[in-house]
Amino acid sequence: MENKKKIKLFMIGALLITLILGGLVFVNTAFVPACMLWLSLFIFSICYYIKDNDKKIPLYSLFIFGVLLIVGALVYMIMRIV
């Protein structure tokens, strides 16, 4: 029970940072990879929260989406450098 509360607090914190970075993306595009990485962290925390649920398809799809966000952030950073 205590673990679920900590996970919820972490999810709220990750969501707030993601929203702040999402706002900063409109100011400067250099924040796009950071926003994508924090969004993937938020998605992974959702996956960790629902891991004991019987519905595995949403869990796997969220996990794959989080991995794709990380790959997209890496590709975006590499393309900005090169």
Side-chain angles (χ1 to χ4, degrees):
M1 199 64 160
E2 180 72 24
N3 195 21
K4 293 281 188 178
K5 189 174 182 180
K6 289 180 184 177
I7 295 170
K8 281 185 182 180
L9 287 175
F10 181 79
M11 286 170 55
I12 292 170
L15 179 63
L16 288 175
I17 293 173
T18 302
L19 291 174
I20 291 169
L21 286 170
L24 289 173
V25 165
F26 293 108
V27 176
N28 191 351
T29 58
F31 291 105
V32 171
C35 183
M36 292 172 71
L37 290 173
W38 273 97
L39 182 61
S40 67
L41 183 65
F42 174 67
I43 289 173
F44 289 145
S45 64
I46 291 173
C47 289
Y48 187 72
Y49 185 75
I50 63 171
K51 71 177 179 174
D52 296 329
N53 199 350
D54 292 334
K55 299 176 183 176
K56 297 297 181 186
I57 292 175
L59 176 71
Y60 294 145
S61 60
L62 280 174
F63 185 80
I64 290 170
F65 185 64
V67 170
L68 289 175
L69 276 172
I70 291 174
V71 171
L74 289 173
V75 168
Y76 185 83
M77 283 190 285
I78 290 170
M79 296 309 272
R80 277 188 64 107
I81 291 172
V82 173

